[in-house]
Amino acid sequence: MDRVKDFDKFIYRMRDARDLSVLDDVMCEVTSVFGFDQFALGHHVDLVRPPRDAIRLTNYDPSWINESLEQQFFADDPVHAVSAKLVRPFFWREMADHLALTDHQQLILDRARSFRLYDGITAPVHLPGEYEGSCSFATDDFSKVHPMALALSHTAATFAFEGARRLMRQLDGKKAEPVPQFTNKEREILILVGRGKTDAEIGMVLGISKNTAHQHVETGRRAYGNAQRTLMVIRAVFDGVINFADILR
């Protein structure tokens, strides 16, 4: 479990993955390090007839995957429904706080438990202009789960999605998306956002007004398709614009 301290190494391996099988291997390792047994990362789409560019990586039991496809459970998946409502990771046990579960959704959860999917954490992934998505980590014994798993799951999900998006574009013959260019001050602000600073705090650190700091943050968000602040920082790290050492220093 001490490998959580070296989590940044997993992030860089996700960023540098040359094909989806490598990314899948890294996700299996991350799942184990978190103390979970199974994971599923993908877009919320019709899995019977998925779009060509849809992402799907998982080590779920093949029998559960087959049953889910045959019964089309994905169309009414309560985990996907809650993901659409939140931007933060959530425990499966709190789904009822955000969704009035139907009988069919309860049936889906009951059937999932037959495949050791008792409890878990799901991190929603919302990318402007793309399908909704999420990354779930599941287990049949939550006592094994690392206490930092909830906090780190969102980072793992976002970096894995970025890696998968890049690889899917390559498979589709598309050019890599250009890395946005930032000034030194904009890089400083990205780092400060990564440290959890508010616009007012950024202004105090850099000796600029809160409004000017906010404008710089919005420039960064627009560079990444109006991404939320956390996603903006993660994508900047993924692109090598900033790194973890900058944020943690």
Side-chain angles (χ1 to χ4, degrees):
M1 226 33 172
D2 288 339
R3 295 177 68 196
V4 166
K5 294 186 295 186
D6 296 323
F7 186 67
D8 58 328
K9 295 179 181 177
F10 289 108
I11 297 303
Y12 294 133
R13 287 173 59 196
M14 290 178 186
R15 188 180 69 182
D16 297 335
R18 299 300 181 188
D19 58 57
L20 289 173
S21 65
V22 173
L23 189 59
D24 185 78
D25 289 343
V26 177
M27 283 300 295
C28 285
E29 286 189 60
V30 168
T31 299
S32 176
V33 167
F34 284 173
F36 291 104
D37 306 302
Q38 301 181 65
F39 84 93
L41 177 144
H43 286 125
H44 301 168
V45 296
D46 182 344
L47 297 180
V48 175
R49 293 171 293 276
R52 178 185 176 89
D53 57 346
I55 294 168
R56 186 68 178 172
L57 292 175
T58 182
N59 68 345
Y60 278 2
D61 188 318
S63 297
W64 169 240
I65 294 174
N66 289 336
E67 180 174 335
S68 297
L69 291 175
E70 290 172 1
Q71 300 299 323
Q72 297 194 20
F73 286 158
F74 57 84
D76 199 24
D77 190 325
V79 172
H80 292 181
V82 175
S83 292
K85 293 173 174 283
L86 301 176
V87 296
R88 63 165 177 85
F90 59 90
F91 295 106
W92 289 1
R93 67 188 72 143
E94 65 174 300
M95 284 194 291
D97 296 335
H98 304 283
L99 184 71
L101 293 170
T102 66
D103 290 343
H104 187 241
Q105 288 172 329
Q106 189 59 58
L107 169 66
I108 293 172
L109 295 177
D110 291 342
R111 288 300 303 147
R113 293 188 182 98
S114 301
F115 298 91
R116 300 176 56 232
L117 299 169
Y118 280 87
D119 205 351
I121 289 173
T122 293
V125 177
H126 303 296
L127 292 170
E130 296 192 13
Y131 315 113
E132 294 290 327
S134 65
C135 180
S136 294
F137 299 95
T139 182
D140 59 357
D141 181 6
F142 212 82
S143 66
K144 301 181 302 182
V145 175
H146 194 281
M148 291 183 63
L150 181 67
L152 292 176
S153 62
H154 203 182
T155 301
T158 307
F159 269 93
F161 252 97
E162 271 306 290
R165 287 176 71 246
R166 175 174 56 81
L167 292 169
M168 292 297 287
R169 288 181 65 85
Q170 291 177 2
L171 290 173
D172 206 28
K174 296 178 181 177
K175 294 182 178 179
E177 295 175 332
V179 175
Q181 299 300 306
F182 296 97
T183 66
N184 289 336
K185 185 171 289 291
E186 288 168 346
R187 283 190 68 258
E188 285 185 80
I189 288 173
L190 283 169
I191 292 167
L192 290 171
V193 173
R195 293 176 182 170
K197 301 297 185 183
T198 64
D199 292 345
E201 291 170 332
I202 291 171
M204 291 179 62
V205 171
L206 298 180
I208 58 179
S209 69
K210 174 183 175 182
N211 184 58
T212 299
H214 178 73
Q215 290 175 0
H216 281 303
V217 172
E218 289 302 297
T219 296
R221 291 184 61 240
R222 286 194 296 272
Y224 284 113
N226 292 319
Q228 296 173 340
R229 292 167 75 105
T230 300
L231 179 57
M232 171 187 69
V233 172
I234 288 176
R235 294 189 70 175
V237 173
F238 190 93
D239 284 340
V241 175
I242 58 175
N243 57 51
F244 281 114
D246 293 325
I247 295 171
L248 298 176
R249 184 175 298 122

